[in-house]
């Protein structure tokens, strides 16, 4: 007799962290519901968890009720209700999240063969739990500078999503949809994925390596290809800024031509624009990390903390130290 082929079944626990991003959570969950509907049986099941079993407020202010606490999840670990995957749903302020109980639970799940995942900024919590050393991962572009500095052993990329063996991470927003469609495709086939895409009104599954951010051309409203190439060079060399002569050699233009192009296209000199994007990165590091100000300065290509503070104050009308104080007061409010 031929063996009976049991239908695929996969269960999820979505662990909600305060200030989680609703769009990433919803676009991860709803494809599973749609897939069940198309298949005609419950291939995917899920439950929601929080630290204490109480509702969790998303960053948009909506409170979401949950099914279990982490204490209950621990009890389920050794029984038939153990999940196939535990997914961390987080969002803004993730760098302040420190919960040893949550970190230990994630490690326990992973060590028992449960896949782990992170939506939006969830990679930060997985890394804090010690699960991303030498692993490829993705995180929202806004959090990438601080994450890179805090977790140098993680191989983080500005991709939509990353799957490294039993670890799934995505950049949030609608990238969660792409990651879950990839998972559904691995479990079933492209036909089911296409039907789910039609149901949720998306035309394709984006590649993991598709851009998180808009292309420079669209983001900046700049059409000149030379200017775009120069800006890409600048963004790729923030810690050790290139000289204008080095940039000129790369793009086969004279310094005077570059100066003229930037005045026309960007309304300021190339040196000024370069300074502004380095200071923008510094601001992200000040907000997202606990790096000393002098280390932030070095990471953004400044030769001294005093010069960094002077430039920062001129652009943002406050010192780097005051930026930190204001951020802490905002979080405490």
């Amino acid at each position: 007799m031929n063996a009976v082929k049991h239908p695929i079944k996969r269960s999820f626990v979505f662990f909600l962290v305060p200030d989680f991003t609703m769009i990433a959570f919803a676009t991860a969950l709803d494809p599973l519901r749609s897939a069940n509907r198309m298949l005609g049986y419950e291939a995917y099941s899920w439950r929601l968890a929080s630290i204490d079993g109480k509702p969790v407020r998303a960053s948009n202010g909506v409170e979401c009720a949950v099914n279990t606490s982490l204490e209950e999840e621990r009890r389920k670990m050794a029984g038939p209700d153990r999940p196939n995957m535990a997914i961390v749903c987080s969002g803004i302020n993730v760098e302040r999240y420190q919960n040893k109980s949550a970190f230990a639970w994630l490690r326990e799940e992973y060590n028992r063969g449960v896949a782990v995942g992170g939506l939006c900024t969830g990679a930060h919590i997985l890394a804090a739990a010690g699960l991303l050393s030498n692993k490829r991962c993705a995180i929202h572009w806004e959090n990438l500078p601080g994450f890179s500095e805090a977790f140098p052993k993680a191989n983080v990329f500005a991709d939509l999503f990353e799957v490294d063996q039993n670890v799934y991470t995505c950049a949030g927003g609608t990238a969660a949809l792409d990651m879950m469609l990839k998972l559904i495709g691995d479990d079933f086939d492209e036909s089911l994925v296409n039907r789910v895409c039609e149901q949720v009104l998306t035309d394709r599954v984006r590649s993991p390596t598709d851009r998180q951010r808009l292309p420079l051309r669209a983001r900046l409203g700049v059409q000149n290809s030379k200017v775009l190439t120069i800006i890409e060079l600048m963004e790729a060399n923030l810690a050790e800024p290139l000289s204008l002569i080095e940039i000129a050699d790369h793009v086969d233009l004279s310094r005077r031509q570059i100066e003229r192009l930037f005045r026309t296209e960007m309304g300021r000199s190339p040196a000024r624009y370069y300074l502004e994007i380095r200071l923008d990165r510094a601001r992200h590091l000040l907000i997202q990390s606990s790096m000393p100000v002098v280390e932030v300065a070095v990471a953004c290509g400044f030769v001294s903390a005093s010069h960094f503070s002077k430039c920062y104050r001129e652009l943002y009308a406050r010192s780097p130290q005051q930026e930190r104080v204001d951020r802490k007061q905002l979080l405490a409010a």
Side-chain angles (χ1 to χ4, degrees):
M1 292 178 61
N2 292 330
V4 176
K5 185 177 180 181
H6 294 285
I8 290 172
K9 288 198 171 186
R10 191 193 290 261
S11 60
F12 296 82
V13 170
F14 289 90
F15 175 60
L16 305 186
V17 173
D19 290 325
F20 71 95
T21 304
M22 183 64 78
I23 188 172
F25 169 60
T27 53
L29 184 58
D30 227 49
L32 304 178
R33 178 197 64 81
S34 293
N36 286 347
R37 182 182 174 202
M38 303 298 169
L39 291 164
Y41 79 95
E42 194 176 85
Y44 299 109
S45 60
W46 55 85
R47 58 182 180 264
L48 313 184
S50 67
I51 283 288
D52 52 9
K54 294 179 181 178
V56 182
R57 186 185 295 271
S59 59
N60 62 6
V62 174
E63 279 204 343
C64 190
V66 301
N67 308 104
T68 59
S69 65
L70 285 197
E71 184 179 345
E72 292 172 287
E73 285 301 325
R74 281 198 169 88
R75 289 200 293 268
K76 293 177 184 291
M77 234 184 262
D81 290 331
R82 184 176 71 179
N84 298 109
M85 182 179 290
I87 298 181
V88 179
C89 309
S90 58
I92 60 172
N93 303 325
V94 69
E95 63 278 353
R96 67 188 270 200
Y97 188 80
Q98 293 292 329
N99 192 295
K100 291 182 179 178
S101 180
F103 299 159
W105 168 70
L106 286 164
R107 287 192 296 270
E108 290 168 36
E109 293 281 17
Y110 182 78
N111 290 335
R112 287 175 177 262
V114 174
V116 294
L119 306 181
C120 191
T121 61
H124 197 288
I125 292 174
L126 294 180
L131 297 175
L132 292 186
S133 291
N134 301 313
K135 295 284 188 184
R136 291 179 64 91
C137 61
I139 197 167
H140 193 279
W141 64 265
E142 198 172 38
N143 297 83
L144 199 148
F147 180 90
S148 298
E149 296 292 341
F151 305 107
K153 292 184 179 179
N155 298 324
V156 65
F157 295 89
D159 295 340
L160 292 182
F161 65 92
E162 284 287 344
V163 179
D164 191 336
Q165 297 178 325
N166 229 18
V167 178
Y168 294 69
T169 51
C170 77
T174 57
L177 171 64
D178 298 288
M179 186 174 79
M180 299 310 277
L181 289 172
K182 165 74 165 59
L183 187 148
I184 291 169
D186 289 344
D187 284 348
F188 292 95
D189 55 29
E190 189 177 343
S191 172
L192 177 61
V193 170
N194 289 340
R195 292 165 68 196
V196 173
C197 283
E198 288 180 339
Q199 187 68 28
V200 300
L201 305 183
T202 187
D203 62 348
R204 66 187 178 99
V205 182
R206 291 177 293 178
S207 165
T209 55
D210 277 10
R211 291 173 181 265
Q212 286 187 30
R213 304 184 72 180
L214 288 172
L216 278 175
R217 191 179 300 273
R219 183 162 27 118
L220 302 176
V222 174
Q223 300 301 316
N224 188 287
S225 60
K226 291 288 188 181
V227 172
L228 293 171
T229 300
I230 292 168
I231 292 173
E232 286 175 348
L233 278 171
M234 291 176 173
E235 291 187 347
N237 293 274
L238 298 180
E240 296 183 11
L242 300 173
S243 69
L244 192 52
I245 293 174
E246 289 173 313
I247 291 173
D249 287 342
H250 270 96
V251 296
D252 197 26
L253 291 174
S254 70
R255 292 178 58 181
R256 183 170 294 181
Q257 286 173 313
I258 293 174
E259 291 276 1
R260 188 163 55 246
L261 275 174
F262 264 74
R263 293 287 182 188
T264 302
E265 297 285 343
M266 308 304 296
R268 49 207 181 277
S269 71
R272 180 64 187 179
Y273 185 83
Y274 208 169
L275 176 65
E276 287 176 4
I277 61 176
R278 287 161 55 209
L279 289 170
D280 180 66
R281 178 181 171 84
R283 185 168 182 271
H284 279 97
L285 288 175
L286 289 167
I287 290 172
Q288 297 168 11
S289 76
S290 57
M291 290 173 65
V293 170
V294 67
E295 290 185 17
V296 172
V298 171
C300 298
F302 292 90
V303 294
S304 70
S306 59
H307 181 233
F308 167 56
S309 294
K310 177 178 179 292
C311 294
Y312 197 94
R313 189 188 297 275
E314 287 176 355
L315 183 62
Y316 295 114
R318 56 188 177 277
S319 69
Q321 292 83 356
Q322 189 60 47
E323 186 77 77
R324 278 246 166 96
V325 170
D326 292 348
R327 174 65 173 173
K328 287 177 180 177
Q329 289 176 346
L330 179 64
L331 292 176

